[in-house]
Amino acid sequence: MLDEHIRDLLFIRLKKLGYHLIRVKLINEYAKKTLQIMAERTKDRGMSLEDCTFLSKEISSFLEVDDPISSSFVLEVSSGGLARPLTIINDYKIFKKYKAKIVLKEKFMGKKTFRGFLQGIDESGHIILETEDNEMKVNFIEIEKANIDPDWAIKNNHIK
């Protein structure tokens, strides 16, 4: 997929600049392509307008050289926001004690969506989620998507 190819092109380059690449998403609507890049500073997980401007210029330069998108597109660079996606297994360690929403690829106990507090990763590499009803362990590859609960983040002042 093109998203993964672009992610591969940018991941190490952004890391060298002091940023963590959260997500790459190419949207093709109404004959207009938009490349959305979510990133954050490695040192403190923050992302300012100046960071977005800086990365936008750097990413544009990288993409001009590699030219993975054959037609014109709009580049959007942003932070992960309050509902920051959890895209790599290490996110589940970093955001331990944060409330998250996890959507599974397949139903488990009759549903695909679970909300609860992240409790890190066990010795087998399973993500531990403490829900209202129980503690569940999830294999990372079983997750379709996950993100921090934005209402909880606002209420608990976890705004970056």
Side-chain angles (χ1 to χ4, degrees), residues 41-55:
R41 288 187 302 264
T42 306
K43 65 179 178 181
D44 62 4
R45 294 193 323 261
M47 189 73 165
S48 67
L49 183 57
E50 291 80 16
D51 291 311
C52 291
T53 302
F54 170 73
L55 279 184

Side-chain angles (χ1 to χ4, degrees), residues 15-51:
K15 188 174 184 175
K16 288 179 182 176
L17 294 171
Y19 293 88
H20 169 68
L21 183 60
I22 298 171
R23 185 179 79 185
V24 173
K25 187 173 186 181
L26 184 61
I27 302 166
N28 194 3
E29 290 182 338
Y30 313 111
K32 176 185 163 189
K33 289 183 182 177
T34 302
L35 178 60
Q36 293 180 338
I37 306 289
M38 282 187 186
E40 62 193 4
R41 288 187 302 264
T42 306
K43 65 179 178 181
D44 62 4
R45 294 193 323 261
M47 189 73 165
S48 67
L49 183 57
E50 291 80 16
D51 291 311

Side-chain angles (χ1 to χ4, degrees), residues 36 44 56 63 69 78 93-95 100 107 117 120 138 152:
Q36 293 180 338
D44 62 4
S56 182
L63 295 178
I69 305 171
S78 69
K93 291 179 190 173
I94 292 170
F95 292 100
K107 283 187 178 183
F117 288 92
V138 181
W152 179 86

Side-chain angles (χ1 to χ4, degrees), residues 140-156:
F140 180 71
I141 62 170
E142 296 172 340
I143 297 174
E144 183 175 315
K145 65 180 180 176
N147 60 282
I148 300 300
D149 182 313
D151 294 331
W152 179 86
I154 291 169
K155 191 168 75 177
N156 291 281

Side-chain angles (χ1 to χ4, degrees), residues 5-158:
H5 176 66
I6 294 169
R7 180 178 176 79
D8 291 344
L9 287 173
L10 296 178
F11 188 82
I12 297 298
R13 291 173 175 165
L14 267 60
K15 188 174 184 175
K16 288 179 182 176
L17 294 171
Y19 293 88
H20 169 68
L21 183 60
I22 298 171
R23 185 179 79 185
V24 173
K25 187 173 186 181
L26 184 61
I27 302 166
N28 194 3
E29 290 182 338
Y30 313 111
K32 176 185 163 189
K33 289 183 182 177
T34 302
L35 178 60
Q36 293 180 338
I37 306 289
M38 282 187 186
E40 62 193 4
R41 288 187 302 264
T42 306
K43 65 179 178 181
D44 62 4
R45 294 193 323 261
M47 189 73 165
S48 67
L49 183 57
E50 291 80 16
D51 291 311
C52 291
T53 302
F54 170 73
L55 279 184
S56 182
K57 290 176 185 174
E58 292 292 321
I59 291 168
S60 292
S61 295
F62 294 147
L63 295 178
E64 281 180 27
V65 172
D66 291 306
D67 200 22
I69 305 171
S70 57
S71 59
S72 64
F73 64 95
V74 174
L75 175 63
E76 294 178 355
V77 177
S78 69
S79 72
L82 292 174
R84 184 199 187 279
L86 304 170
T87 57
I88 60 174
I89 197 155
N90 198 45
D91 287 345
Y92 297 88
K93 291 179 190 173
I94 292 170
F95 292 100
K96 184 176 179 178
K97 303 294 182 189
Y98 279 58
K99 189 172 184 185
K101 174 183 168 186
I102 295 177
V103 179
L104 302 176
K105 293 176 184 173
E106 304 289 331
K107 283 187 178 183
F108 176 71
M109 296 179 1
K111 60 184 187 173
K112 289 176 74 174
T113 303
F114 295 87
R115 286 180 170 78
F117 288 92
L118 297 173
Q119 300 300 320
I121 299 171
D122 71 9
E123 60 280 347
S124 300
H126 292 95
I127 296 157
I128 304 168
L129 182 70
E130 185 179 314
T131 68
E132 284 185 10
D133 302 323
N134 56 12
E135 180 179 283
M136 58 187 291
K137 294 183 178 185
V138 181
N139 192 324
F140 180 71
I141 62 170
E142 296 172 340
I143 297 174
E144 183 175 315
K145 65 180 180 176
N147 60 282
I148 300 300
D149 182 313
D151 294 331
W152 179 86
I154 291 169
K155 191 168 75 177
N156 291 281
N157 295 316
H158 287 285

